[in-house]
Amino acid sequence: MTDTKKSIHGEWSSRFAFILAATGSAVGLGNIWKFPYITGENGGGAFVIVYLLCVLLIGIPIMMAETMLGRRSRQNPINTMVTLADEAGADKNWHYLGWMGVIAGFLILSYYSVIAGWASAYVLKALTGSFFGADAITIKGLFDHFMASPVQLTFWHSLFMLATMLIVVRGVNTGLEKAVRFLMPSLFVLLILMVAYAMTFDEYYDQGIKFLFTPDFSKLTANGVLTAMGHAFFTLSLGMGAIMIYGSYLPKDVSIAKTVYLIAGTDTVVALLAGIAIFPIVFAAGLEPASGPGLIFQTLPIAFGNMTGGWLFGILFFVMLVFAALSSSISLIEPAVAWLVENKDMSRQQACIWSGLITWLLGLGTIFSFNVWSGFKVFDRTIFQLLDYLTANLMLPIGGFCIAVFAGWIMKRQHTEHELDMPDALSYQVWRFLICYVSPTAVFFVFLHVVGVL
Ligand code: TRP
């Protein structure tokens, strides 16, 4: 493989562009919507610690591996696995890993787009002053009423899918890169403002912080541990090829390690900030931390409705949330689009239409889980819960496990060493130890734990 090889879809204009795009992919609903509610459902502090450990010991090494795989082959995840397995003299079956990733991308985006649709709808609600002076009960009523309407949910889901596909169709440099350039910094500033507001809640602020950071391991179940690990993959966009495809657009001279630390660090800080902003409001409003997927939609509007400048903050916040979701959703569909273009001879436009349509249709399943099909359960889960469990808790960790095994055990050592180009030999050895032994074993043990063997 030559070092001059480039992806046919283009290349990021700089290291900074990659950082923005990958951070854009990582920071999304996972940080602001999902992290708080799963933390609430799993008892707080102990869950947060397991999640942080997973980011450190599993997420970061796998993120480096995934970026490296993409940059070495410069193709979509399916072809990447074919090419690199070939290069290492390994079995052809590795391309199923790429396939699983593409499918996981569709499944995740199908529900991701529905939730992003909620956030879009809340921009309008904020704009029209729906939260003004509202108490917790009114805000919950507003949310429940919205959930009960498949028509409204479908409208917003469609709008969000359309926006995603319009960005993706424009390709790497024009579409993806421009979109994330100004969104990420603005979101960050707004979150800090929300944290500052949460601090004015005094004793509830303390209660929120205590909930987030004081571990009580008796509250953590085996499934909670799996959810924490799954979320480490989800929030860093790992295990399905999104970071791989972004890595395939990464220029050669960029240090993967340093870049990954920065991205993972930012992602973690954003999630923690979201938690710190939300839990004080949860306690002050007398809400349950375990309120489920509606948590941020039932808490933040209370703050916006009652704080000074809340009207403007509310609008800005939900606008930013939609943009954070957009910069993530484009990475969920990009592997499929790149595959259709590379292997099925489609134009980027055709590829976008097809993949967009399939995802949109799948999304209806999630929409109906919140109303007409809310009683329909498989393994005791609604369609939305099933999709979430299947992707975040199973497919992503399995994908990540395989990526770790591939990078650590299948690829030639000199190739990974060359491609990662670590600042010193020790850093490479640490990475190698983590990717060969720690990350795969950890994933494996968590699975055993859930099955009840351990
Ligand atoms: N990381 C994003 C979030 O936290 C979601 C996401 C984008 C994702 N691309 C992904 C999750 C790829 C898993 C795999 O909201």
Side-chain angles (χ1 to χ4, degrees):
M1 205 141 312
T2 62
D3 272 7
T4 49
K5 194 169 170 195
K6 278 195 183 180
S7 164
I8 61 162
H9 308 281
E11 194 170 81
W12 304 114
S13 59
S14 62
R15 168 173 181 253
F16 186 60
F18 171 77
I19 292 179
L20 278 178
T23 313
S25 164
V27 175
L29 296 174
N31 307 61
I32 295 165
W33 159 76
K34 194 173 181 192
F35 173 72
Y37 96 74
I38 55 177
T39 301
E41 283 179 341
N42 288 289
F47 176 86
V48 175
I49 288 186
V50 176
Y51 152 76
L52 290 175
L53 276 177
C54 289
V55 167
L56 203 64
L57 299 177
I58 308 176
I60 292 179
I62 292 184
M63 196 173 202
M64 291 196 218
E66 217 183 301
T67 317
M68 171 190 80
L69 261 50
R71 185 166 73 176
R72 189 160 181 83
S73 109
R74 301 236 172 256
Q75 290 160 300
N76 68 66
I78 298 177
N79 294 9
T80 292
M81 294 320 296
V82 175
T83 313
L84 296 184
D86 208 38
E87 183 187 62
D91 201 285
K92 280 267 168 293
N93 287 330
W94 280 100
H95 77 275
Y96 287 116
L97 176 57
W99 274 107
M100 188 174 73
V102 169
I103 293 169
F106 275 118
L107 297 179
I108 297 175
L109 184 55
S110 79
Y111 70 82
Y112 202 84
S113 163
V114 173
I115 313 293
W118 299 0
S120 320
Y122 269 62
V123 172
L124 190 66
K125 291 191 201 301
L127 199 73
T128 54
S130 307
F131 313 143
F132 190 69
D135 57 9
I137 298 180
T138 319
I139 295 292
K140 186 171 182 320
L142 201 72
F143 181 75
D144 291 343
H145 187 69
F146 180 48
M147 285 307 106
S149 166
V151 176
Q152 283 192 43
L153 296 182
T154 307
F155 170 79
W156 293 103
H157 162 57
S158 315
L159 203 67
F160 185 83
M161 270 315 297
L162 197 70
T164 301
M165 298 329 291
L166 281 177
I167 299 179
V168 177
V169 82
R170 302 186 61 194
V172 177
N173 293 103
T174 38
L176 313 195
E177 202 173 312
K178 279 213 183 94
V180 286
R181 209 166 255 272
F182 78 104
L183 301 173
M184 287 303 114
S186 339
L187 179 75
F188 205 75
V189 172
L190 221 63
L191 262 182
I192 305 245
L193 282 177
M194 290 305 295
V195 169
Y197 177 70
M199 281 178 172
T200 64
F201 281 82
D202 296 331
E203 82 251 37
Y204 294 117
Y205 177 74
D206 297 341
Q207 200 181 344
I209 294 287
K210 205 165 152 227
F211 180 77
L212 269 176
F213 297 112
T214 313
D216 174 357
F217 281 93
S218 68
K219 288 190 188 153
L220 196 63
T221 60
N223 239 315
V225 175
L226 177 65
T227 306
M229 179 180 76
H231 189 63
F233 284 97
F234 186 90
T235 191
L236 295 175
S237 303
L238 298 179
M240 58 72 67
I243 291 299
M244 204 185 281
I245 194 99
Y246 276 18
S248 78
Y249 307 145
L250 184 64
K252 269 291 156 196
D253 49 355
V254 171
S255 156
I256 291 182
K258 270 195 267 172
T259 313
V260 164
Y261 296 146
L262 194 68
I263 298 165
T266 312
D267 184 80
T268 310
V269 171
V270 170
L272 295 177
L273 285 177
I276 298 173
I278 283 159
F279 283 107
I281 307 176
V282 170
F283 294 119
L287 291 167
E288 256 306 300
S291 302
L295 188 66
I296 68 160
F297 297 94
Q298 294 170 5
T299 50
L300 292 178
I302 307 176
F304 299 136
N306 296 287
M307 69 205 254
T308 6
W311 177 73
L312 189 64
F313 276 165
I315 299 169
L316 287 176
F317 183 85
F318 285 112
V319 167
M320 291 303 141
L321 189 58
V322 173
F323 279 121
L326 264 178
S327 60
S328 302
S329 63
I330 53 184
S331 76
L332 282 161
I333 199 82
E334 180 68 16
V337 169
W339 179 77
L340 287 171
V341 173
E342 283 169 36
N343 297 38
K344 292 287 146 199
D345 223 20
M346 284 195 192
S347 67
R348 216 176 155 84
Q349 238 162 354
Q350 282 171 312
C352 283
I353 293 175
W354 280 111
S355 43
L357 266 181
I358 296 175
T359 320
W360 179 83
L361 258 181
L362 279 171
L364 297 181
T366 292
I367 290 183
F368 298 148
S369 314
F370 291 99
N371 36 67
V372 285
W373 289 352
S374 60
F376 176 72
K377 299 205 170 157
V378 185
F379 297 120
D380 211 24
R381 292 187 167 86
T382 62
I383 297 184
F384 159 68
Q385 288 167 333
L386 202 65
L387 281 174
D388 178 38
Y389 194 87
L390 187 71
T391 52
N393 290 11
L394 301 180
M395 290 170 98
L396 299 182
I398 293 172
F401 175 88
C402 297
I403 289 171
V405 170
F406 189 83
W409 297 94
I410 307 288
M411 276 178 86
K412 295 209 167 62
R413 190 189 165 114
Q414 74 261 33
H415 288 167
T416 57
E417 202 164 0
H418 168 74
E419 200 67 49
L420 283 174
D421 196 18
M422 297 277 204
D424 52 81
L426 181 67
S427 312
Y428 178 76
Q429 269 155 7
V430 171
W431 174 80
R432 200 168 169 81
F433 177 70
L434 290 173
I435 209 78
C436 287
Y437 302 102
V438 180
S439 320
T441 328
V443 176
F444 190 67
F445 277 125
V446 173
F447 278 132
L448 287 188
H449 189 43
V450 173
V451 184
V453 179
L454 213 76

